[in-house]
Amino acid sequence: MTGKVGAGPGTQVVHRVAQLLRAVAGREEGSTVAELAAATGLTRPTVHRLLTGLAEEGLVDRPAGSTAWQLGPELYVLGAVAAHRYPIRELAGPSLRRLAEATGESAFLSARRGPETVCLARVEGAFPIRSHVLYEGLRLPLGVASAGLAVLAHLPDAEVERILAATPAARAEWGPLHTPERIRELLEDVRREGFAVNPGLIVEGSWGMAAAVFDTTGAPVYALSLTGIEPRFAGERRGLLGRALLTEAHRLSRELGHR
């Protein structure tokens, strides 16, 4: 779907540009025109035309000799200007470092954006074998991966069902196990334990755990997560990881004004 219902030509262009920039940001190594067309549903000529215009403004960039487009330097400048209004990375930094140091696993911060989570920051743990599913800029549907499960579990049931009904295709892109029935089971686990567990639903043997972070209104707006290989998330250690996540999530929620 390349345009919003009822949107005028100008609004549609803005929507397409935003859609394209999110797709560019979604891959660390950059994306080709063909890959961006597939990700956005836009035609290749449209993608090429938009990228050319964005490149002239410094909003995207293509390194010499590469066919992969990446975010440009002007976006870094704009992001730096806006960062003081959204200091979540700085606030979350100490929690991420404590989690990585205490557990040896890689720690991540994700934010809710509508029906998705987007990974904002990571700190690598010392354990030499890692899961590489998550990376900064990656967007996942709510209910996919532990961060999305942690956020979804704290939404009203009616909103959960609306999101599940609206995102079957997006979830299926991350594997056939993300059915509404399986997700509802995992959400019950979150509500009972307080933290979410992704038992290798995206990549077999790659597990994740997460806890939601709340804003002043009590809405689940962020999540802290840990990822690693399955044996590191088994038995009593799972409970230890869960308590560590909840401790840091509660601390960060308080810093955001949640009581």
Side-chain angles (χ1 to χ4, degrees):
M1 186 174 182
T2 60
K4 291 186 177 181
V5 176
T11 303
Q12 188 179 65
V13 170
V14 172
H15 171 65
R16 288 178 172 179
V17 168
Q19 187 182 23
L20 184 57
L21 288 173
R22 284 193 290 266
V24 172
R27 296 186 66 178
E28 282 186 305
E29 67 276 20
S31 298
T32 65
V33 169
E35 289 167 339
L36 291 168
T40 61
L42 300 171
T43 65
R44 291 191 190 188
T46 296
V47 169
H48 185 269
R49 184 174 68 252
L50 292 174
L51 288 172
T52 300
L54 290 169
E56 290 175 357
E57 300 295 333
L59 296 171
V60 296
D61 187 24
R62 187 175 58 182
S66 173
T67 60
W69 290 88
Q70 298 176 315
L71 297 181
E74 186 64 21
L75 276 178
Y76 173 79
V77 173
L78 294 174
V81 173
H84 74 281
R85 294 190 59 205
Y86 308 98
I88 185 61
R89 282 174 59 101
E90 289 71 22
L91 290 176
S95 289
L96 294 176
R97 289 190 290 273
R98 281 190 293 266
L99 285 168
E101 291 169 4
T103 68
E105 312 302 336
S106 297
F108 298 84
L109 169 71
S110 296
R112 182 191 177 187
R113 297 295 294 164
E116 300 176 314
T117 58
V118 56
C119 182
L120 299 180
R122 66 181 173 187
V123 173
E124 300 289 2
F127 189 71
I129 304 176
R130 299 170 183 168
S131 167
H132 296 284
V133 173
L134 269 183
Y135 53 83
E136 289 164 291
L138 179 65
R139 290 174 178 265
L140 294 168
L142 288 176
V144 173
S146 58
L149 289 167
V151 169
L152 196 63
H154 293 284
L155 298 177
D157 288 341
E159 188 171 359
V160 170
E161 294 305 319
R162 284 196 298 271
I163 290 170
L164 292 180
T167 57
R171 294 197 312 273
E173 292 180 9
W174 296 95
L177 301 178
H178 298 101
T179 63
E181 294 76 20
R182 185 68 175 111
I183 290 174
R184 292 188 192 103
E185 291 176 0
L186 293 171
L187 297 183
E188 288 303 312
D189 292 340
V190 180
R191 291 162 180 164
R192 183 178 62 254
E193 302 290 343
F195 54 82
V197 177
N198 166 33
L201 298 186
I202 298 178
V203 175
E204 185 177 358
S206 176
W207 281 46
M209 294 178 60
V213 175
F214 302 89
D215 66 8
T216 55
T217 70
V221 289
Y222 302 104
L224 296 174
S225 59
L226 294 167
T227 68
I229 60 174
E230 181 177 356
R232 302 276 291 174
F233 290 77
E236 293 182 1
R237 193 166 193 271
R238 190 183 307 170
L240 295 174
L241 296 177
R243 287 191 289 276
L245 282 164
L246 288 171
T247 295
E248 295 299 338
H250 291 161
R251 180 182 285 118
L252 187 53
S253 294
R254 289 194 299 270
E255 292 185 17
L256 292 173
H258 179 62
R259 293 292 183 268

